[in-house]
Amino acid sequence: MGATYGQFCPVAKAMELLDERWTLLIVRELMAGSHHFNALRRGLPRMSPALLSKRLHTLVRAGVVERHSEGNRVTYHLSPSGRELEPIVAALGQWGTRWIGELGDVDLDPHLLMWDIHRWIDMEAVPDGRTVLLFRFTDMTGPAGSWWLVINTDGVDVCDFDPGHEVRMTITSELRTMIEIWRGDRAWADTVRAGLLVLRGDTQAVRAVPTWLKLSPFASTPRPVAAVLTGTSAS
Amino acid sequence: MGATYGQFCPVAKAMELLDERWTLLIVRELMAGSHHFNALRRGLPRMSPALLSKRLHTLVRAGVVERHSEGNRVTYHLSPSGRELEPIVAALGQWGTRWIGELGDVDLDPHLLMWDIHRWIDMEAVPDGRTVLLFRFTDMTGPAGSWWLVINTDGVDVCDFDPGHEVRMTITSELRTMIEIWRGDRAWADTVRAGLLVLRGDTQAVRAVPTWLKLSPFASTPRPVAAVLTGTSAS
DNA sequence: CAGTATCCATTTCGATACTG
DNA sequence: CAGTATCGAAATGGATACTG
């Protein structure tokens, strides 16, 4: 656990545990449905495995996370006390959405974006059979510029290589633009109208996209009045 | 600001700012009504002035805190975005109250306790004129063992020396016990009944104490069922 | 899959003293 | 009152490689 504050105040006692770097992001990942070590790693790619391991131990010791091993599969879940952090993490996300709008270039990780998008595809709404989407980020070179989402009835896969199936729709934009849409900083329609994002392919799919390609759970957070991006100026 | 997480997730962006050590405790102090540099220091005694200064600058730059200088008096206040952290800090305090019950010996700071108590005295309920309370912590030696609370119509003062006025009531217990009462881990009546705390003095005052000597704002947080301390066993 | 082990550059921060 | 200056010990944690 982190260093002590030398205070009996419950806020201080809570923060001794929770203000350690990465800790609440692990809770966020557990909330989002990652329960295996390597699934957590995918959602926290900049965290070294040693550090993730250490934080998980700390959280288990603190009673916030429960570790179960079934055979040689290990899973992590929030305990009752961990589940009581969910509204706090949600509130932090809403606060961040409202007040920390500017993203640095280092924040624009295409792999994380695809990983997020894939997690929230509405399987009920997607047409039956296989649906393949191709995302092209015009400002990224090499394998980071093209991503395939392969949606089957049994799940969604993310590929950074051509899986060889027919592509139903191609989504082309700068990476930042697509991230801003995902975050709810921009609306689909406005962005398309402004020419910053192009949907090409199956007309049916193009029209239906916003119904089954969901946005971030924080996207609908109301913004402070002065901070609304327009379709054209993204400053 | 803290190191970047390299994530566009608003929780991560929020935590880049907020998970830096001491940061949310400064917000807590501002919420509690400390607005001057040295008042903040009294609520954060283990923080060096250099670090407090640095954190305040960071918070001002992030737009969470506003700094005003009127003449040579400088004040700090929460901005609109900072005020939106209030429910989050409150939730963290409630979470800490419920789930982080054990206090280490380093957490038992008598000066902080007196500072907290003095802040929440209900001036409306206190009898008119001067009221002086003496707290005696049986397990503390030297000046840390005796504290006077001098309540006038114009405010409350904390002294670690005898101010020389007549004492209306003496409160005697171990420091940990008084802190547990303040935090709401124990009830006044139970603790007195168990002989762990003694109130001596003006009968009127003894009876009225709980009405004007308020407990921590988190004291009334409901505890998880299994974690209730009884009057006698404080494990 | 689920982690450990190691290494060291970097950061952090507590203590103390000092200033306009 | 409201900070700045300085310093060194300690911890943090990122990178990388490796293991059962």
Side-chain angles (χ1 to χ4, degrees):
Chain A
M1 206 178 59
T4 181
Y5 283 114
Q7 300 201 355
F8 50 79
C9 163
V11 178
K13 294 305 290 178
M15 292 316 282
E16 284 180 6
L17 175 69
L18 302 177
D19 73 3
E20 276 201 304
R21 197 166 151 71
W22 295 108
T23 299
L24 283 182
L25 300 192
I26 294 174
V27 173
R28 177 201 72 190
E29 286 302 302
L30 293 170
M31 287 169 61
S34 294
H35 299 288
H36 295 270
F37 192 86
N38 285 319
L40 291 167
R41 290 203 60 191
R42 249 164 300 178
L44 304 164
R46 313 257 296 223
M47 195 177 189
S48 79
L51 190 52
L52 174 56
S53 173
K54 182 180 170 188
R55 285 287 185 278
L56 285 170
H57 273 105
T58 302
L59 286 168
V60 168
R61 234 182 334 115
V64 171
V65 166
E66 288 165 0
R67 189 195 128 115
H68 301 280
S69 58
E70 297 133 17
N72 56 353
R73 297 284 288 179
V74 177
T75 61
Y76 296 93
H77 287 269
L78 291 175
S79 70
S81 96
R83 257 174 273 130
E84 288 190 16
L85 289 173
E86 291 182 352
I88 293 176
V89 171
L92 286 165
Q94 287 163 21
W95 187 88
T97 300
R98 288 172 60 78
W99 299 106
I100 314 280
E102 306 79 42
L103 299 178
D105 286 343
V106 286
D107 299 327
L108 309 177
D109 182 328
H111 199 333
L112 270 179
L113 176 63
M114 300 311 299
W115 180 249
D116 272 350
I117 289 178
H118 114 277
R119 265 210 285 230
W120 295 90
I121 295 284
D122 184 350
M123 299 296 290
E124 309 293 305
V126 176
D128 287 337
R130 181 165 53 219
T131 301
V132 178
L133 305 185
L134 168 57
F135 289 79
R136 295 198 130 273
F137 302 125
T138 53
D139 50 338
M140 306 294 286
T141 59
S146 300
W147 298 82
W148 287 262
L149 225 54
V150 182
I151 310 170
N152 296 308
T153 36
D154 52 316
V156 183
D157 285 321
V158 177
C159 304
D160 63 352
F161 55 88
D162 188 343
H165 306 303
E166 191 201 356
V167 168
R168 177 168 289 181
M169 180 170 61
T170 302
I171 298 164
T172 307
S173 73
E174 290 190 2
L175 174 58
R176 181 180 287 271
T177 303
M178 189 63 221
I179 285 175
E180 285 171 354
I181 290 177
W182 163 255
R183 287 177 34 108
D185 297 329
R186 314 174 154 279
W188 277 113
D190 292 351
T191 311
V192 169
R193 209 174 301 124
L196 296 174
L197 181 130
V198 177
L199 300 171
R200 184 154 29 207
D202 180 330
T203 340
Q204 198 94 355
V206 166
R207 202 162 20 215
V209 151
T211 68
W212 44 269
L213 196 158
K214 297 298 182 197
L215 302 184
S216 154
F218 300 114
S220 60
T221 303
R223 308 304 204 267
V225 179
V228 181
L229 287 184
T230 70
T232 45
S233 80
S235 120
Chain B
M1 205 178 57
T4 180
Y5 283 114
Q7 301 200 354
F8 49 81
C9 163
V11 179
K13 295 304 291 178
M15 292 316 283
E16 284 180 6
L17 175 69
L18 302 177
D19 71 5
E20 277 201 304
R21 196 166 151 71
W22 295 108
T23 299
L24 283 182
L25 300 192
I26 294 173
V27 173
R28 177 201 72 190
E29 285 303 302
L30 293 169
M31 287 169 62
S34 294
H35 298 289
H36 294 269
F37 193 86
N38 286 321
L40 291 167
R41 289 201 62 190
R42 249 163 303 180
L44 304 164
R46 313 256 296 221
M47 193 177 191
S48 80
L51 190 52
L52 173 57
S53 173
K54 183 181 170 189
R55 286 286 185 279
L56 284 169
H57 272 106
T58 302
L59 285 168
V60 168
R61 235 182 333 115
V64 172
V65 166
E66 288 164 0
R67 189 194 128 115
H68 302 280
S69 58
E70 297 132 18
N72 57 353
R73 296 284 288 180
V74 177
T75 60
Y76 296 94
H77 285 270
L78 291 175
S79 70
S81 95
R83 257 174 274 130
E84 288 190 15
L85 289 174
E86 292 182 351
I88 293 175
V89 172
L92 285 165
Q94 287 163 21
W95 188 87
T97 299
R98 289 171 59 76
W99 300 106
I100 315 280
E102 306 79 42
L103 299 178
D105 287 343
V106 285
D107 300 326
L108 308 179
D109 181 328
H111 200 333
L112 270 179
L113 175 63
M114 300 311 299
W115 180 249
D116 273 351
I117 288 177
H118 114 276
R119 266 211 286 231
W120 295 91
I121 294 285
D122 184 350
M123 298 297 289
E124 309 293 304
V126 176
D128 287 337
R130 183 167 49 217
T131 301
V132 178
L133 305 186
L134 168 56
F135 289 79
R136 295 198 131 275
F137 302 124
T138 52
D139 50 338
M140 308 292 287
T141 59
S146 300
W147 299 83
W148 287 261
L149 223 54
V150 181
I151 310 172
N152 296 309
T153 37
D154 53 317
V156 183
D157 285 321
V158 177
C159 303
D160 62 352
F161 55 88
D162 187 344
H165 306 303
E166 191 202 355
V167 169
R168 177 167 292 179
M169 178 170 61
T170 302
I171 298 164
T172 307
S173 73
E174 289 191 1
L175 174 58
R176 182 181 286 271
T177 303
M178 189 63 221
I179 286 177
E180 285 171 354
I181 289 177
W182 163 255
R183 289 178 32 111
D185 297 329
R186 318 175 153 276
W188 277 113
D190 291 351
T191 312
V192 170
R193 208 173 304 124
L196 296 173
L197 182 130
V198 177
L199 299 172
R200 184 156 29 207
D202 180 331
T203 341
Q204 196 96 352
V206 167
R207 203 163 19 217
V209 151
T211 69
W212 44 268
L213 196 158
K214 297 299 181 196
L215 303 184
S216 154
F218 300 114
S220 59
T221 302
R223 308 304 206 265
V225 180
V228 181
L229 286 184
T230 71
T232 45
S233 80
S235 119

mmCIF file of all heavy atoms in Angstrom, chain B residues 87-118:
data_model
loop_
_atom_site.group_PDB
_atom_site.id
_atom_site.type_symbol
_atom_site.label_atom_id
_atom_site.label_comp_id
_atom_site.label_asym_id
_atom_site.label_seq_id
_atom_site.Cartn_x
_atom_site.Cartn_y
_atom_site.Cartn_z
ATOM 1 N N PRO B 87 -18.817 15.728 -4.099
ATOM 2 C CA PRO B 87 -19.495 14.445 -3.866
ATOM 3 C C PRO B 87 -18.545 13.252 -3.984
ATOM 4 O O PRO B 87 -18.761 12.230 -3.335
ATOM 5 C CB PRO B 87 -20.571 14.402 -4.966
ATOM 6 C CG PRO B 87 -20.227 15.491 -5.921
ATOM 7 C CD PRO B 87 -19.411 16.493 -5.196
ATOM 8 N N ILE B 88 -17.507 13.392 -4.772
ATOM 9 C CA ILE B 88 -16.548 12.292 -4.912
ATOM 10 C C ILE B 88 -15.737 12.140 -3.630
ATOM 11 O O ILE B 88 -15.552 11.035 -3.116
ATOM 12 C CB ILE B 88 -15.639 12.522 -6.135
ATOM 13 C CG1 ILE B 88 -16.460 12.415 -7.417
ATOM 14 C CG2 ILE B 88 -14.481 11.533 -6.148
ATOM 15 C CD1 ILE B 88 -15.711 12.733 -8.698
ATOM 16 N N VAL B 89 -15.277 13.250 -3.084
ATOM 17 C CA VAL B 89 -14.531 13.190 -1.827
ATOM 18 C C VAL B 89 -15.429 12.665 -0.702
ATOM 19 O O VAL B 89 -15.008 11.839 0.116
ATOM 20 C CB VAL B 89 -13.957 14.578 -1.467
ATOM 21 C CG1 VAL B 89 -13.358 14.575 -0.076
ATOM 22 C CG2 VAL B 89 -12.912 14.993 -2.501
ATOM 23 N N ALA B 90 -16.672 13.099 -0.712
ATOM 24 C CA ALA B 90 -17.609 12.598 0.296
ATOM 25 C C ALA B 90 -17.788 11.089 0.153
ATOM 26 O O ALA B 90 -17.782 10.350 1.150
ATOM 27 C CB ALA B 90 -18.961 13.313 0.175
ATOM 28 N N ALA B 91 -17.913 10.629 -1.070
ATOM 29 C CA ALA B 91 -18.096 9.189 -1.297
ATOM 30 C C ALA B 91 -16.852 8.417 -0.879
ATOM 31 O O ALA B 91 -16.942 7.309 -0.338
ATOM 32 C CB ALA B 91 -18.428 8.926 -2.768
ATOM 33 N N LEU B 92 -15.684 8.995 -1.121
ATOM 34 C CA LEU B 92 -14.449 8.331 -0.701
ATOM 35 C C LEU B 92 -14.373 8.250 0.820
ATOM 36 O O LEU B 92 -13.931 7.234 1.379
ATOM 37 C CB LEU B 92 -13.233 9.096 -1.250
ATOM 38 C CG LEU B 92 -12.988 8.902 -2.741
ATOM 39 C CD1 LEU B 92 -12.008 9.958 -3.268
ATOM 40 C CD2 LEU B 92 -12.445 7.495 -3.019
ATOM 41 N N GLY B 93 -14.826 9.297 1.499
ATOM 42 C CA GLY B 93 -14.839 9.268 2.952
ATOM 43 C C GLY B 93 -15.805 8.218 3.478
ATOM 44 O O GLY B 93 -15.513 7.509 4.439
ATOM 45 N N GLN B 94 -16.941 8.095 2.836
ATOM 46 C CA GLN B 94 -17.899 7.076 3.257
ATOM 47 C C GLN B 94 -17.348 5.677 3.001
ATOM 48 O O GLN B 94 -17.473 4.780 3.839
ATOM 49 C CB GLN B 94 -19.237 7.278 2.539
ATOM 50 C CG GLN B 94 -19.979 8.491 3.088
ATOM 51 C CD GLN B 94 -21.078 8.973 2.159
ATOM 52 O OE1 GLN B 94 -21.565 8.236 1.306
ATOM 53 N NE2 GLN B 94 -21.461 10.233 2.313
ATOM 54 N N TRP B 95 -16.712 5.539 1.851
ATOM 55 C CA TRP B 95 -16.119 4.236 1.539
ATOM 56 C C TRP B 95 -15.037 3.899 2.560
ATOM 57 O O TRP B 95 -14.982 2.791 3.097
ATOM 58 C CB TRP B 95 -15.562 4.231 0.109
ATOM 59 C CG TRP B 95 -15.110 2.876 -0.327
ATOM 60 C CD1 TRP B 95 -15.866 1.905 -0.903
ATOM 61 C CD2 TRP B 95 -13.785 2.340 -0.186
ATOM 62 N NE1 TRP B 95 -15.100 0.786 -1.145
ATOM 63 C CE2 TRP B 95 -13.828 1.025 -0.710
ATOM 64 C CE3 TRP B 95 -12.587 2.828 0.321
ATOM 65 C CZ2 TRP B 95 -12.699 0.208 -0.742
ATOM 66 C CZ3 TRP B 95 -11.464 2.008 0.303
ATOM 67 C CH2 TRP B 95 -11.529 0.709 -0.225
ATOM 68 N N GLY B 96 -14.179 4.863 2.847
ATOM 69 C CA GLY B 96 -13.121 4.640 3.826
ATOM 70 C C GLY B 96 -13.673 4.316 5.202
ATOM 71 O O GLY B 96 -13.142 3.462 5.927
ATOM 72 N N THR B 97 -14.749 4.982 5.563
ATOM 73 C CA THR B 97 -15.380 4.730 6.851
ATOM 74 C C THR B 97 -15.899 3.297 6.932
ATOM 75 O O THR B 97 -15.747 2.620 7.946
ATOM 76 C CB THR B 97 -16.549 5.711 7.059
ATOM 77 O OG1 THR B 97 -16.029 7.042 7.048
ATOM 78 C CG2 THR B 97 -17.251 5.455 8.383
ATOM 79 N N ARG B 98 -16.468 2.842 5.837
ATOM 80 C CA ARG B 98 -17.054 1.504 5.836
ATOM 81 C C ARG B 98 -16.005 0.396 5.777
ATOM 82 O O ARG B 98 -16.153 -0.639 6.408
ATOM 83 C CB ARG B 98 -18.008 1.345 4.654
ATOM 84 C CG ARG B 98 -19.303 2.141 4.816
ATOM 85 C CD ARG B 98 -20.138 2.155 3.543
ATOM 86 N NE ARG B 98 -20.540 0.842 3.077
ATOM 87 C CZ ARG B 98 -21.498 0.096 3.612
ATOM 88 N NH1 ARG B 98 -22.151 0.556 4.658
ATOM 89 N NH2 ARG B 98 -21.810 -1.088 3.126
ATOM 90 N N TRP B 99 -14.939 0.643 4.998
ATOM 91 C CA TRP B 99 -14.076 -0.482 4.638
ATOM 92 C C TRP B 99 -12.651 -0.405 5.148
ATOM 93 O O TRP B 99 -11.919 -1.381 5.083
ATOM 94 C CB TRP B 99 -14.081 -0.689 3.119
ATOM 95 C CG TRP B 99 -15.449 -0.964 2.609
ATOM 96 C CD1 TRP B 99 -16.255 -0.125 1.904
ATOM 97 C CD2 TRP B 99 -16.203 -2.177 2.792
ATOM 98 N NE1 TRP B 99 -17.458 -0.727 1.636
ATOM 99 C CE2 TRP B 99 -17.460 -1.990 2.155
ATOM 100 C CE3 TRP B 99 -15.944 -3.404 3.427
ATOM 101 C CZ2 TRP B 99 -18.450 -2.980 2.140
ATOM 102 C CZ3 TRP B 99 -16.928 -4.392 3.401
ATOM 103 C CH2 TRP B 99 -18.165 -4.169 2.767
ATOM 104 N N ILE B 100 -12.232 0.770 5.611
ATOM 105 C CA ILE B 100 -10.864 0.878 6.145
ATOM 106 C C ILE B 100 -10.978 1.300 7.604
ATOM 107 O O ILE B 100 -10.790 2.461 7.947
ATOM 108 C CB ILE B 100 -10.012 1.891 5.361
ATOM 109 C CG1 ILE B 100 -10.181 1.729 3.857
ATOM 110 C CG2 ILE B 100 -8.551 1.771 5.787
ATOM 111 C CD1 ILE B 100 -9.379 0.619 3.240
ATOM 112 N N GLY B 101 -11.301 0.348 8.445
ATOM 113 C CA GLY B 101 -11.569 0.681 9.826
ATOM 114 C C GLY B 101 -10.332 0.741 10.709
ATOM 115 O O GLY B 101 -10.284 1.500 11.658
ATOM 116 N N GLU B 102 -9.318 -0.043 10.372
ATOM 117 C CA GLU B 102 -8.169 -0.151 11.277
ATOM 118 C C GLU B 102 -7.259 1.067 11.153
ATOM 119 O O GLU B 102 -6.834 1.425 10.067
ATOM 120 C CB GLU B 102 -7.357 -1.419 10.987
ATOM 121 C CG GLU B 102 -8.178 -2.688 11.014
ATOM 122 C CD GLU B 102 -8.956 -2.861 9.717
ATOM 123 O OE1 GLU B 102 -8.374 -2.606 8.649
ATOM 124 O OE2 GLU B 102 -10.148 -3.214 9.778
ATOM 125 N N LEU B 103 -6.960 1.637 12.298
ATOM 126 C CA LEU B 103 -6.058 2.786 12.329
ATOM 127 C C LEU B 103 -4.724 2.362 12.923
ATOM 128 O O LEU B 103 -4.687 1.692 13.958
ATOM 129 C CB LEU B 103 -6.669 3.897 13.178
ATOM 130 C CG LEU B 103 -8.008 4.443 12.688
ATOM 131 C CD1 LEU B 103 -8.527 5.496 13.647
ATOM 132 C CD2 LEU B 103 -7.872 5.018 11.283
ATOM 133 N N GLY B 104 -3.661 2.738 12.257
ATOM 134 C CA GLY B 104 -2.332 2.513 12.832
ATOM 135 C C GLY B 104 -2.031 3.573 13.874
ATOM 136 O O GLY B 104 -2.712 4.607 13.945
ATOM 137 N N ASP B 105 -1.023 3.327 14.680
ATOM 138 C CA ASP B 105 -0.671 4.308 15.709
ATOM 139 C C ASP B 105 -0.265 5.649 15.099
ATOM 140 O O ASP B 105 -0.539 6.696 15.672
ATOM 141 C CB ASP B 105 0.460 3.765 16.595
ATOM 142 C CG ASP B 105 -0.042 2.672 17.536
ATOM 143 O OD1 ASP B 105 -1.279 2.574 17.726
ATOM 144 O OD2 ASP B 105 0.789 1.923 18.064
ATOM 145 N N VAL B 106 0.358 5.608 13.923
ATOM 146 C CA VAL B 106 0.764 6.879 13.285
ATOM 147 C C VAL B 106 -0.426 7.726 12.882
ATOM 148 O O VAL B 106 -0.292 8.932 12.668
ATOM 149 C CB VAL B 106 1.604 6.640 12.019
ATOM 150 C CG1 VAL B 106 3.013 6.221 12.380
ATOM 151 C CG2 VAL B 106 0.936 5.657 11.083
ATOM 152 N N ASP B 107 -1.602 7.080 12.750
ATOM 153 C CA ASP B 107 -2.789 7.840 12.327
ATOM 154 C C ASP B 107 -3.398 8.644 13.463
ATOM 155 O O ASP B 107 -4.277 9.473 13.242
ATOM 156 C CB ASP B 107 -3.853 6.880 11.775
ATOM 157 C CG ASP B 107 -3.353 6.095 10.568
ATOM 158 O OD1 ASP B 107 -2.554 6.661 9.796
ATOM 159 O OD2 ASP B 107 -3.759 4.941 10.406
ATOM 160 N N LEU B 108 -2.939 8.379 14.687
ATOM 161 C CA LEU B 108 -3.596 8.973 15.859
ATOM 162 C C LEU B 108 -2.912 10.278 16.241
ATOM 163 O O LEU B 108 -2.085 10.330 17.154
ATOM 164 C CB LEU B 108 -3.559 7.974 17.019
ATOM 165 C CG LEU B 108 -4.086 6.574 16.679
ATOM 166 C CD1 LEU B 108 -3.977 5.649 17.876
ATOM 167 C CD2 LEU B 108 -5.513 6.634 16.161
ATOM 168 N N ASP B 109 -3.247 11.319 15.559
ATOM 169 C CA ASP B 109 -2.624 12.619 15.776
ATOM 170 C C ASP B 109 -3.562 13.492 16.610
ATOM 171 O O ASP B 109 -4.639 13.885 16.149
ATOM 172 C CB ASP B 109 -2.356 13.257 14.411
ATOM 173 C CG ASP B 109 -1.681 14.613 14.526
ATOM 174 O OD1 ASP B 109 -1.937 15.329 15.513
ATOM 175 O OD2 ASP B 109 -0.922 14.963 13.616
ATOM 176 N N PRO B 110 -3.182 13.783 17.849
ATOM 177 C CA PRO B 110 -4.089 14.527 18.728
ATOM 178 C C PRO B 110 -4.352 15.954 18.217
ATOM 179 O O PRO B 110 -5.458 16.479 18.378
ATOM 180 C CB PRO B 110 -3.351 14.550 20.070
ATOM 181 C CG PRO B 110 -1.918 14.324 19.737
ATOM 182 C CD PRO B 110 -1.905 13.465 18.510
ATOM 183 N N HIS B 111 -3.344 16.552 17.611
ATOM 184 C CA HIS B 111 -3.518 17.915 17.118
ATOM 185 C C HIS B 111 -4.587 17.949 16.017
ATOM 186 O O HIS B 111 -5.479 18.806 15.991
ATOM 187 C CB HIS B 111 -2.171 18.420 16.577
ATOM 188 C CG HIS B 111 -2.087 19.908 16.475
ATOM 189 N ND1 HIS B 111 -3.192 20.713 16.301
ATOM 190 C CD2 HIS B 111 -1.017 20.750 16.527
ATOM 191 C CE1 HIS B 111 -2.807 21.987 16.245
ATOM 192 N NE2 HIS B 111 -1.494 22.036 16.384
ATOM 193 N N LEU B 112 -4.512 16.980 15.111
ATOM 194 C CA LEU B 112 -5.522 16.892 14.052
ATOM 195 C C LEU B 112 -6.907 16.670 14.630
ATOM 196 O O LEU B 112 -7.891 17.251 14.158
ATOM 197 C CB LEU B 112 -5.186 15.745 13.095
ATOM 198 C CG LEU B 112 -4.305 16.091 11.901
ATOM 199 C CD1 LEU B 112 -4.048 14.842 11.071
ATOM 200 C CD2 LEU B 112 -4.997 17.152 11.046
ATOM 201 N N LEU B 113 -6.983 15.822 15.661
ATOM 202 C CA LEU B 113 -8.286 15.567 16.277
ATOM 203 C C LEU B 113 -8.868 16.856 16.837
ATOM 204 O O LEU B 113 -10.034 17.186 16.585
ATOM 205 C CB LEU B 113 -8.145 14.531 17.388
ATOM 206 C CG LEU B 113 -9.417 14.264 18.195
ATOM 207 C CD1 LEU B 113 -10.512 13.682 17.319
ATOM 208 C CD2 LEU B 113 -9.121 13.344 19.383
ATOM 209 N N MET B 114 -8.052 17.597 17.583
ATOM 210 C CA MET B 114 -8.548 18.829 18.181
ATOM 211 C C MET B 114 -8.913 19.849 17.096
ATOM 212 O O MET B 114 -9.906 20.570 17.205
ATOM 213 C CB MET B 114 -7.503 19.420 19.137
ATOM 214 C CG MET B 114 -7.125 18.520 20.292
ATOM 215 S SD MET B 114 -8.547 17.832 21.189
ATOM 216 C CE MET B 114 -9.324 19.327 21.771
ATOM 217 N N TRP B 115 -8.115 19.891 16.063
ATOM 218 C CA TRP B 115 -8.374 20.798 14.951
ATOM 219 C C TRP B 115 -9.707 20.464 14.282
ATOM 220 O O TRP B 115 -10.516 21.332 13.969
ATOM 221 C CB TRP B 115 -7.213 20.717 13.957
ATOM 222 C CG TRP B 115 -7.326 21.594 12.766
ATOM 223 C CD1 TRP B 115 -7.526 21.197 11.475
ATOM 224 C CD2 TRP B 115 -7.225 23.029 12.713
ATOM 225 N NE1 TRP B 115 -7.546 22.281 10.634
ATOM 226 C CE2 TRP B 115 -7.373 23.416 11.369
ATOM 227 C CE3 TRP B 115 -7.029 24.021 13.687
ATOM 228 C CZ2 TRP B 115 -7.334 24.749 10.967
ATOM 229 C CZ3 TRP B 115 -6.994 25.349 13.280
ATOM 230 C CH2 TRP B 115 -7.144 25.692 11.941
ATOM 231 N N ASP B 116 -9.953 19.179 14.113
ATOM 232 C CA ASP B 116 -11.224 18.742 13.521
ATOM 233 C C ASP B 116 -12.397 19.086 14.434
ATOM 234 O O ASP B 116 -13.397 19.651 13.999
ATOM 235 C CB ASP B 116 -11.201 17.229 13.284
ATOM 236 C CG ASP B 116 -10.611 16.859 11.936
ATOM 237 O OD1 ASP B 116 -10.376 17.773 11.122
ATOM 238 O OD2 ASP B 116 -10.372 15.661 11.702
ATOM 239 N N ILE B 117 -12.251 18.728 15.703
ATOM 240 C CA ILE B 117 -13.348 18.967 16.640
ATOM 241 C C ILE B 117 -13.686 20.455 16.676
ATOM 242 O O ILE B 117 -14.851 20.856 16.598
ATOM 243 C CB ILE B 117 -12.983 18.453 18.055
ATOM 244 C CG1 ILE B 117 -12.988 16.919 18.074
ATOM 245 C CG2 ILE B 117 -13.961 18.998 19.101
ATOM 246 C CD1 ILE B 117 -12.574 16.313 19.407
ATOM 247 N N HIS B 118 -12.647 21.274 16.730
ATOM 248 C CA HIS B 118 -12.876 22.717 16.872
ATOM 249 C C HIS B 118 -13.627 23.274 15.667
ATOM 250 O O HIS B 118 -14.371 24.237 15.761
ATOM 251 C CB HIS B 118 -11.532 23.432 17.075
ATOM 252 C CG HIS B 118 -11.130 24.348 15.971
ATOM 253 N ND1 HIS B 118 -10.494 23.905 14.824
ATOM 254 C CD2 HIS B 118 -11.302 25.679 15.812
ATOM 255 C CE1 HIS B 118 -10.275 24.931 14.028
ATOM 256 N NE2 HIS B 118 -10.753 26.018 14.584
#
